[in-house]
Amino acid sequence: MTQAPPRGFPDDEYQQRCALAQTKLAELQLDALFVCTEPEVRYFTGFHTPFWQSPTRPWFVIVPAVGEPIAIIPSIGAPMMDETWISDIRTWSAPQPEDDGVSILADTITSLGLARIGVPMGHETHLRMPLADWNALQAAVPDVTFSDATDIVRSMRMVKSDRELAKTAHVCSLVSDGFENLGSLLSMGMTEREAFTAFKIDLLQRGADDVPYLVGASGHSFTDVIKQPSDRVIEAGDLLMFDTGTMWDGYSSDFDRYYAFGHADDDAQRAHHVVWDATEAGLNMLRPGVTTTDLWKAMADVMIEGGSLGNDVGRLGHGLGMQLTEWPSNTATDETVIEEGMVLTLEPGMTFAPGRMMLHEENIVIRADGPEMLSRRAPRDMPVIG
Amino acid sequence: MTQAPPRGFPDDEYQQRCALAQTKLAELQLDALFVCTEPEVRYFTGFHTPFWQSPTRPWFVIVPAVGEPIAIIPSIGAPMMDETWISDIRTWSAPQPEDDGVSILADTITSLGLARIGVPMGHETHLRMPLADWNALQAAVPDVTFSDATDIVRSMRMVKSDRELAKTAHVCSLVSDGFENLGSLLSMGMTEREAFTAFKIDLLQRGADDVPYLVGASGHSFTDVIKQPSDRVIEAGDLLMFDTGTMWDGYSSDFDRYYAFGHADDDAQRAHHVVWDATEAGLNMLRPGVTTTDLWKAMADVMIEGGSLGNDVGRLGHGLGMQLTEWPSNTATDETVIEEGMVLTLEPGMTFAPGRMMLHEENIVIRADGPEMLSRRAPRDMPVIG
């Protein structure tokens, strides 16, 4: 495992983000950016809590084209927001269904004279406030135009700072250790549920903050790759897939591994070679300037050559950072130009026989001269346990 | 710990939910209910995966006023949805930003002849799809009216079935065991982070599926009650607060406990007595027919009498079930009539000295003759560790 980097970010990390957002706001002739989701609020303020799991209260941040961000939040969050670099914090006692922050938000917009506000409305974004409240806000400030500002957050969040990269690298290193140790943790005769719990506990003991995402499957044949564990007993000849999004200081890993128990059947071992080779093909062509579509094609070609019967996942990897999956997507049509500082997962997957799915996923960062591994490269031969 | 109930639900649990939703749709003269969030999709279908943590893909379910629900989902979810009671499953290969399920959704609405569609738009609801896609959907079916149907899901989800209650009771029992054992797990000299990790691992070892929510604080004084752990070392004279939402088979507990290390100072111990007595006052008056406002007042009166300096949390407990917090809220103005089968948390909280917050939370279910504990009642004296 790598040495853990410092927790949190110094204020200048957030100041740089806001300055860049303000440059982009000026280009788009917008007066402000409005955000209300967990990653977006955290990205601009540093406000970081699992309390977002409660759907009750909305949280708002305005990044004006000039000046510092304003947090408009329920009073329960004030002590935490006070610890961040944000100094303009406006609160109300939520929940108040009849007016849950809408008036204070509208008053802020009006008093700042904001006329054109950008809001993330595009792919992979959500509006985390009740739709009725969104409509009420628009009615309360009828002269204000709200337009799509997805590109601002998308373009900014896709390119990671060195400080962000250090967090992702750390959690990927820790999870790599966990995967490499799996043979000593698991054995035939365990149930899926026991195996999942053992791995989760092992990752926590290695220093992970949390393992919010652990899915997988076991057996000779499976196609469901977003599944929670069952009480199925793992037997000789089984494959086991683990796909985990493990977190450290608010940054996620997302890579999966396949293991065989007792022995690996020839078809599965061959399929493992194909997806490993597809990953290798991606690694070999990745550099700033190529597109996600080029990357998709490099991996897809190897799998077609290797006898793929198709893939229902919809993409061959994606961005990674504060969330388990982020922009962009490695698809046939995505066409995002890959830049230095992007973190991607390479996730070739294919149905290699009827009812049998094989996935493989590595995490990398794009450097000036090509990819740098964040996950530790899996072996080409699928490991056999027991 | 209680004996674990069966996992999942038999089909008739979902059939009853849909039948009740259809009765309510008829009352409101709506042709269908449209849902797109994790708990709502799971509530009507049984589709259960942590894959919702990926923000990339939208998921849609239509419950028509007559007939069976229709799932319109990314193909990656088809194997899992196939395992549920849903038979009408329509898929597309997501992500496809240019049309991520909007056409197939619009086509379904049109082919079914749906003219009036209810959508949860009110308090505690979100629209989990890009706002631009929501606008595109409305443009694609211009003759369809979408109106607020929050009351349908709110009124249904607030009253739990016996099968749901068994899951909540099981996880509450398991977490009660964990809290009662905390004295043997924690000690002075540990950091907050070590203490949090030890408790998380302990809960997993006791059979919890996951511990997605664990927040708290330590020290003589704190007011931030939604905080993640720091590297602060726990010392003699400290208070420790743990608030956890632990999950079992998709149902959550949510109760917190305070502990003192070495000794409890008089002010803190007195405050613990006050919030415990406030909980007791709530338990003593709870029965079907009283309101959340009556409940709030019963608890608030005890805290005012006990010297409360206020409370920034905004409510004194809330509903509980598939999510960490659900409708209703125990506030001065909520006025929800409490019914048999509702699960509530009683969470009196108060600032008992400047900068010092005390919370106390129990989980109960309302039976015909009053409340039944789901969490095991905490002792009135704050436990002292070490």
Side-chain angles (χ1 to χ4, degrees), chain A residues 124-148:
Chain A
E124 309 213 18
T125 74
H126 306 122
L127 186 74
R128 193 193 173 278
M129 63 188 289
L131 193 57
D133 287 0
W134 170 247
N135 293 336
L137 174 67
Q138 290 178 292
V141 289
D143 296 332
V144 175
T145 59
F146 295 90
S147 59
D148 187 10

Side-chain angles (χ1 to χ4, degrees), chain A residues 143-160:
Chain A
D143 296 332
V144 175
T145 59
F146 295 90
S147 59
D148 187 10
T150 304
D151 281 350
I152 294 179
V153 288
R154 183 184 193 273
S155 62
M156 288 180 65
R157 285 185 49 203
M158 280 199 300
V159 178
K160 272 68 179 178

